[in-house]
Structures are given as C-alpha cells and as structure tokens.
Amino acid sequence: MSNQLHLQQFQQQIAESISSNTFLKISLGNYQGNEKELRNVYARRVKIKRADMLSFTYRYKTRDIIKNFPIPEGIALIVHFISNDFKVCTLFTTLKEVILEHGKKQLISVREQLVKTIVQPTLTHNKEKKRIIQPTGKTYLQELKISDADGNVFKNAQDKYRQINQYIEILSSLIKELPANKINNVVDMGSGKGYLTFALYDYLHNVLKLDAKVTGVEYREDLVTLCNGIAGNSGFDKLEFVPGTIEDYTVESIDLLIALHACDTATDDAIYKGIMAKAGLIVVAPCCHKQIRREMEKNKEKNELSFLTKYGIFMERQAEMVTDGIRALILEYCGYKTKVFEFISDAHTPKNVLVVGIKNSDSDQVAKSRELKRTEIKQKIAESKAYFGISYHHLERLLGLDKKV
Ligand SMILES: C[S@@+](CC[C@H](N)C(=O)[O-])C[C@H]1O[C@@H](n2cnc3c(N)ncnc32)[C@H](O)[C@@H]1O
C-alpha cells in the first residue's frame, strides 16, 4: 500500500474514532524536525466553551506548550506532522491502538493491537492538572481577584492563573541551572500588579524553602502601594515593591532578574541592570519593540527586505526578532548562555517570547575563548545593524558597546 493510502486510512480512523466516541488520544514521537528541544506531541479531546476541540501538548525538554484546534484542523495538523517530522504516531482508542511508523526508505507501515484494559473516553478532559502554585489559602491570589477565600479560581481568572503557573514552571526549571540553587536577591523589573512577583516569592519561599529577598520595581505608585499592602497582608516580609523607574533603580546584588512585558526599551534597561549586577539568571518577556522598529522604518525602502517590511505586520515581527536577536547576542557577549522560546500559547498573547540569559561560570580558559567569540559577536551586531539600517540598539548603547573597539 502506498504512503498516501496509509495516511488517508489513518486520517479516516482518527475521524471515525472521534465520531464514534472511542478516541482517547494521539501521540506523536521520534521527532526529526528542526526544533531542537521538541520531544513529543500529544493530542486529546477537550470541550472549550462548549466547542469540541483537539488539545495539543507540545512537550519540550524543559516545558510544555498547549495549543487547541477545532477537530478538522486538529486532524489535518496530525496528518501534517506524520507526513513531515514525526516518524511514529499512535492512535489510542477504547478498542485498539493503531501505530503508524516510517520505516526504511521512508515507507509507512501501520499495525494495530487490541487493548487489554478498556478506558472510557471523557470529553471533559479539561481536568485541572496539579499546579505548582496551589490556590488554597493564598491571600495574594484572593486580593488580586484570582481566587475566592476557599481557593476556587474565578472563571474569568483561569487564564491568568494558568499563565502564572506556566511562568513559574519555566522559572523553576531555569533556576535549577543556577549553581547550587544560589538565589538570595531577586528583582522583578516593571512588576505592575505583581501577579508574578507574588507567585515567584511564594514558590521560592514555600516550595523551594529559600529565604530570598524579592523586590518589585514599578513606576506607578498606586500599584506599588497596592502590592506592598498585599505583601503585608500575606506575611511576605522579604518582599518589597519600590517606586521608580528601572533606569534609576540602584543595583545592589541580583541573582535572578525578571522583567515581564516591560515596555519597549524598559526591557533593555532591565537586562542592563542584570548584566551590571552579574545576575546568574536574566529572564525577560519583551513587550513592544518600538525603538528598533522606528530605526528600521527610516531605512526600509533601501533594505533588501522591503518587499516584506512594507507590510505593517511583517515589519512588526521583523523588528521584534531583530531587537530580541541582538539582545540575545549582547547577553552572549557579556558571558551569558542564551535561550529564546515561546512560553505561553499565542492564543493568550502574541507577546509570548522569553529571552533567557544564564551566566556562564568563569574560568581563565573560558574567558580566553570568549574573547575570540566576542569579536565575532560584535561583528555580527554591526552587520545586522547595517543590514537593517539601524543606527543603534538601546542595550548596546547602555553598555557602551557601540563605542568599544
Ligand atoms: C505590561 S505591564 C506588566 C506587569 C507585570 N510585569 C506583569 O507581567 O504582570 C508593564 C509594567 O511595567 C511598568 N513599567 C514600564 N516601564 C517601566 C520603567 N521604565 N520603569 C518602571 N516601571 C516600568 C508599567 O508601569 C507596567 O506596570
């Protein structure tokens, strides 16, 4: 049987198992695509706002990303996956398992096996997973209107609660990369209403049992007053919110710096403070990318990419990638290992990219080889600036890298 026919039949089996309500889940494995940290993808059936959907869990080395699709799109996506980068796919139903595999010379084979124990499918698969930040007995979650006094998360706060947990899950795996869990001083730049600051404090103190000092920096004084009140009511005595700008914040010692959606160049200011304080871990989710976008707009006609950047949405995405790409290069220049990845589904917000810097440990040998790399990095930054018609990058300027030879 040809590959095409195998795929068609498999697609039909998925559709039939869904319509006959025998579908349990799909698992896709043996990934051979370009996403370095992607391991597997699982799809299960869920009801979201009364709509029947397929919920995909993309399992990466250090995190999971969930994306939901209407059933027909979901099935098409599964077929796309198995036609391309996933070499094994298993359909689990209440009656049998159907295993599709790419063998030698990319030939597809399909085999079936009957199940030993019958599992009933549930449509309300949306069962609440055990979250790292539990909602019971959390004053800050109540005061931030995420949960009620009994620890029930409000319907309209489910998304926020999930995001907080996803963010803490990501941070928890990054924190493990710090030497011997060394976290004494944590700063959240542009802390806003403090959702993440409180959750991170809670996680560090009550889950990891660390005695870290946590500081939120925020220029809106009303938010600072609100958050300090909640911190007091929660008994979080090593948590403090300070009024003022990130630029003016006096850096003492910082082990972990976070900045989530600090606007435009405020993200650069935050990274700069982290680098100056030699923070072990810097985690930022950039927001708007106006500074570089303005620069790119000025010269877009001359650019080879003008056929793309004449469209506003492409310009926006290009400016985002260039801004964050240069940020990552600068972090590497300053001795950080970097990661850039999506941290929540883009269904929640398009501003869902995390830029992470983990400080390299120092030794003479490493420092020497880094010197070599630094020249290359500076050259790369200069070339990309020239290519996109950018006269300066805010972080580069803060560090004086545009002047250093
Ligand atoms: C979009 S909110 C995000 C708040 C919070 N980090 C979160 O994710 O929930 C950005 C916050 O950063 C603050 N902010 C922006 N630029 C700042 C700066 N340069 N200095 C201090 N705070 C700043 C704003 O007032 C706002 O509260």
Side-chain angles (χ1 to χ4, degrees), residues 160 188 190-192 195-196 217-220 223 244-247 260-263 266:
K160 193 86 206 168
D188 180 2
S191 49
Y195 294 105
L196 255 11
V217 180
E218 170 56 53
Y219 65 41
R220 275 185 53 187
L223 294 180
T245 63
I246 300 169
E247 304 87 295
L260 194 78
H261 299 152
C263 327

Side-chain angles (χ1 to χ4, degrees), residues 308-319:
L308 290 177
T309 47
K310 69 178 177 179
Y311 303 109
I313 181 67
F314 285 168
M315 171 57 101
E316 186 179 323
R317 290 185 181 171
Q318 195 71 249

Side-chain angles (χ1 to χ4, degrees), residues 17-285:
S17 67
I18 290 176
S19 58
S20 62
N21 204 23
T22 55
F23 176 91
L24 292 174
K25 68 172 179 180
I26 283 273
S27 95
L28 292 138
N30 192 4
Y31 177 69
Q32 300 196 357
N34 294 328
E35 284 197 69
K36 234 172 91 194
E37 302 208 322
L38 182 58
R39 299 285 183 263
N40 310 83
V41 171
Y42 298 94
R44 61 196 177 89
R45 216 172 149 192
V46 291
K47 271 239 188 278
I48 298 176
K49 294 184 183 145
R50 297 207 198 130
D52 219 354
M53 313 274 275
L54 279 175
S55 176
F56 287 72
T57 304
Y58 294 65
R59 196 147 282 176
Y60 289 84
K61 193 173 159 203
T62 53
R63 76 213 143 96
D64 288 351
I65 289 185
I66 294 176
K67 295 183 185 178
N68 302 315
F69 298 93
I71 301 278
E73 283 176 33
I75 295 179
L77 183 60
I78 293 165
V79 173
H80 170 78
F81 279 150
I82 52 184
S83 311
N84 292 282
D85 297 331
F86 286 93
K87 301 303 171 194
V88 183
C89 177
T90 308
L91 162 66
F92 294 85
T93 75
T94 53
L95 308 169
K96 60 184 177 185
E97 291 169 12
V98 187
I99 303 133
L100 181 149
E101 242 172 322
H102 289 259
K104 282 189 186 143
K105 298 188 184 154
Q106 287 304 311
L107 277 182
I108 288 180
S109 66
V110 178
R111 62 196 156 88
E112 295 187 0
Q113 58 195 38
L114 291 176
V115 292
K116 290 187 191 105
T117 337
I118 294 184
V119 181
Q120 287 308 316
T122 54
L123 249 186
T124 46
H125 260 207
N126 274 352
K127 55 180 174 217
E128 202 45 59
K129 125 178 190 195
K130 185 142 171 46
R131 300 282 180 194
I132 212 162
I133 298 293
Q134 286 294 301
T136 331
K138 301 284 162 75
T139 305
Y140 71 91
L141 289 179
Q142 290 162 37
E143 298 205 10
L144 290 170
K145 312 245 178 320
I146 301 279
S147 70
D148 65 15
D150 298 324
N152 301 306
V153 176
F154 294 120
K155 247 193 176 134
N156 63 0
Q158 293 282 351
D159 265 5
K160 193 86 206 168
Y161 176 64
R162 208 171 305 125
Q163 278 172 31
I164 290 172
N165 273 286
Q166 280 175 333
Y167 195 70
I168 299 297
E169 273 165 30
I170 290 170
L171 281 176
S172 70
S173 61
L174 291 170
I175 283 169
K176 287 187 194 131
E177 302 209 27
L178 286 183
N181 275 357
K182 181 186 165 300
I183 303 172
N184 297 315
N185 281 300
V186 177
V187 179
D188 180 2
M189 298 291 199
S191 49
K193 233 175 153 183
Y195 294 105
L196 255 11
T197 339
F198 287 112
L200 182 57
Y201 183 95
D202 185 10
Y203 174 70
L204 294 173
H205 282 251
N206 299 322
V207 180
L208 295 187
K209 307 287 177 206
L210 298 176
D211 193 32
K213 179 174 175 229
V214 179
T215 308
V217 180
E218 170 56 53
Y219 65 41
R220 275 185 53 187
E221 296 213 11
D222 56 329
L223 294 180
V224 171
T225 308
L226 173 87
C227 290
N228 278 328
I230 299 176
N233 296 341
S234 303
F236 289 174
D237 51 6
K238 293 195 99 178
L239 171 61
E240 186 192 14
F241 292 85
V242 296
T245 63
I246 300 169
E247 304 87 295
D248 293 339
Y249 179 69
T250 312
V251 179
E252 290 164 18
S253 154
I254 303 178
D255 302 304
L256 162 59
L257 179 138
I258 64 170
L260 194 78
H261 299 152
C263 327
D264 196 17
T265 51
T267 295
D268 295 307
D269 296 325
I271 298 174
Y272 172 68
K273 295 285 169 174
I275 291 173
M276 296 316 281
K278 299 189 172 57
L281 183 59
I282 297 177
V283 182
V284 299

